Amino acid sequence: MRRIAFSLFLLVFFGCMNKHHNFYNESDYVLVKTDSFNGKVDRELYVYKYDSARKMLINYWDNGKVMGKGFSYKGQLDGSLNVYDMDGKLSATDSFSKGKKISSKEFFTPDTSVKIFRNGKMEPFTSIDSLKQ
């Protein structure tokens, strides 16, 4: 009986120690602070429920859409930092490890509102090369 109890204890003890957590799973973060201005949420600070040194910060545009979302560990950026435009579309994402940028990628939609007046008519601007004749 003692052997069974001891084996069960070891199984539970070592089973709990070997849990690997995904530091960037947003559902594992708990909201601890909300800043607002004129009744609109400006930013929210979340703390990782398994390690209070890990944080997630979300900033919002005035229209309520997410402006940016990023993770930090011990005050340094760690993980992804996503930046969104005012319509909520992802415009850039950077990856960090211990405060150092590892990678960066920008997403954008070309501005089709720019036109060129050429030969008496309006033409769409497609690239710098389209300016050459």
Side-chain angles (χ1 to χ4, degrees):
M1 187 63 159
R2 283 177 140 178
R3 252 187 198 175
I4 294 173
F6 183 72
S7 297
L8 186 59
F9 169 78
L10 288 176
L11 181 65
V12 170
F13 180 76
F14 286 110
C16 291
M17 285 183 60
N18 291 331
K19 271 196 173 177
H20 296 282
H21 298 285
N22 178 359
F23 303 131
Y24 312 110
N25 183 356
E26 293 178 29
S27 64
D28 287 338
Y29 284 78
V30 178
L31 178 64
V32 294
K33 184 178 179 185
T34 300
D35 291 332
S36 56
F37 182 73
N38 288 337
K40 295 181 181 177
V41 175
D42 184 51
R43 70 177 143 194
E44 296 175 326
L45 177 65
Y46 293 80
V47 174
Y48 189 56
K49 62 185 174 182
Y50 302 109
D51 181 357
S52 62
R54 292 194 175 277
K55 299 188 175 38
M56 177 177 67
L57 182 67
I58 302 175
N59 290 304
Y60 295 92
W61 291 103
D62 288 340
N63 65 7
K65 302 226 182 219
V66 174
M67 179 191 302
K69 183 187 305 180
F71 297 90
S72 66
Y73 180 62
K74 295 185 177 178
Q76 294 184 327
L77 288 171
D78 191 64
S80 65
L81 172 64
N82 296 326
V83 178
Y84 302 87
D85 65 15
M86 290 187 78
D87 295 324
K89 295 177 189 163
L90 184 64
S91 61
T93 185
D94 296 327
S95 294
F96 291 85
S97 179
K98 299 177 185 173
K100 293 190 169 113
K101 189 185 286 190
I102 298 171
S103 67
S104 182
K105 185 169 184 177
E106 292 184 19
F107 308 90
F108 66 94
T109 305
D111 185 357
T112 57
S113 66
V114 177
K115 305 286 183 196
I116 300 169
F117 187 75
R118 181 183 290 155
N119 299 327
K121 61 182 179 180
M122 297 298 285
E123 297 177 1
F125 173 79
T126 55
S127 70
I128 296 294
D129 293 332
S130 70
L131 297 176
K132 297 176 185 173
Q133 291 195 4

